[in-house]
Amino acid sequence: GRPAGWSPRVVTLKLAAALLFLALNFYTYNYLARDAVIPPRSHFDQFPLQLGEWSCPERQDLTPEVWKNLGATDILLCDFSRKDDPDGFINVYVGYHATQIRKEGGGSGENAIHPPAHCLPGSGWDIIDNQNVSLPGIGLPMDDAKVKRLIIAKGVQRQLVYYWYQSRGRVIAEDWMKILDVGIDRALRGRTDGALVRFTVPIGHDGEQAAEREFRDLAPQVVERLEPYVPL
């Protein structure tokens, strides 16, 4: 059968975005913004690990191989939990990329942000629900922006995942829109920096609604502190 969310209109839009991105890259590389603009920012090692009732005992790191494949400049990776529920946690990942263009010196390496919806199945997770939703009131730079909300499954495990691309003051849910946005800003501003912001909440015996409440309690406290680390 057709993949979830498939439609001729979506396929056409994605194809048009990809072609426009290629054209913008060609034009930019030859005529505009050949010098990348890297904005100043704070490093995630300064991000607070105590957020209200939520705390992260220690920052997590990645293996050198994963760092290389990821192409990120800087990451925040932490399991936040509360004292009243030490066994429950929310995994927070923010991966900042100073550029999303081919690495200097040529070769096949890219710095582009990897879409979670593509990576999760490769890690053994099935996406059983995939929606674009708004999150008014949690402090996003664009209050009416859409973000991705997934329910994923592996065996008996279930997780609630929220993610979005936060780039140069914009919040984007769709991969093809992110590609288009990067191409336009590279041409006009010389900037391709941006971040993937992702929250992963295990769904326990209390169910999906409880996981949703936990996310909505922690997310505003993370989002309101992101601007120094993910420049507008």
Side-chain angles (χ1 to χ4, degrees):
R2 294 174 176 174
W6 186 96
S7 72
R9 180 175 179 271
V10 170
V11 171
T12 300
L13 285 171
K14 289 182 177 179
L15 179 60
L19 292 173
L20 180 57
F21 177 70
L22 290 173
L24 280 169
N25 265 294
F26 175 81
Y27 181 69
T28 300
Y29 183 80
N30 288 280
Y31 301 106
L32 286 176
R34 299 188 64 174
D35 295 325
V37 175
I38 308 296
R41 57 176 293 275
S42 299
H43 196 276
F44 277 127
D45 62 10
Q46 302 173 38
F47 194 89
L49 300 185
Q50 185 72 46
L51 303 175
E53 297 180 348
W54 294 87
S55 63
C56 170
E58 62 178 330
R59 304 175 197 275
Q60 300 173 33
D61 203 354
L62 304 172
T63 66
E65 182 180 358
V66 173
W67 267 110
K68 181 179 179 181
N69 291 333
L70 190 65
T73 306
D74 185 21
I75 67 164
L76 170 68
L77 182 59
C78 254
D79 287 340
F80 282 88
S81 60
R82 296 184 301 193
K83 287 183 179 180
D84 62 353
D85 185 18
D87 295 326
F89 69 92
I90 297 178
N91 179 262
V92 177
Y93 170 82
V94 185
Y96 177 78
H97 297 238
T99 68
Q100 294 185 69
I101 59 177
R102 189 173 297 278
K103 294 177 181 177
E104 294 298 325
S108 60
E110 295 287 343
N111 293 324
I113 299 172
H114 297 187
H118 295 178
C119 300
L120 286 167
S123 301
W125 291 92
D126 294 319
I127 298 174
I128 59 177
D129 189 43
N130 183 341
Q131 302 179 47
N132 289 352
V133 301
S134 298
L135 289 175
I138 74 162
L140 292 172
M142 301 166 63
D143 202 46
D144 60 346
K146 298 288 187 179
V147 306
K148 278 287 182 185
R149 183 187 189 275
L150 309 179
I151 300 294
I152 61 175
K154 180 192 288 188
V156 298
Q157 300 178 68
R158 297 288 186 274
Q159 294 185 340
L160 169 67
V161 179
Y162 274 96
Y163 77 85
W164 60 87
Y165 304 104
Q166 189 161 322
S167 306
R168 305 168 303 282
R170 302 186 188 96
V171 171
I172 297 171
E174 294 289 354
D175 304 329
W176 66 268
M177 289 183 64
K178 186 265 293 184
I179 293 172
L180 180 60
D181 188 64
V182 167
I184 292 173
D185 270 6
R186 184 184 179 193
L188 298 180
R189 303 170 62 187
R191 286 181 61 182
T192 62
D193 57 294
L196 172 69
V197 182
R198 187 189 68 206
F199 294 80
T200 304
V201 192
I203 299 175
H205 297 298
D206 293 333
E208 186 179 320
Q209 290 186 348
E212 183 77 31
R213 288 194 297 271
E214 296 289 272
F215 162 75
R216 290 179 181 268
D217 187 53
L218 174 62
Q221 301 183 69
V222 174
V223 169
E224 72 179 9
R225 293 170 169 85
L226 282 182
E227 186 178 328
Y229 308 90
V230 183
L232 299 178

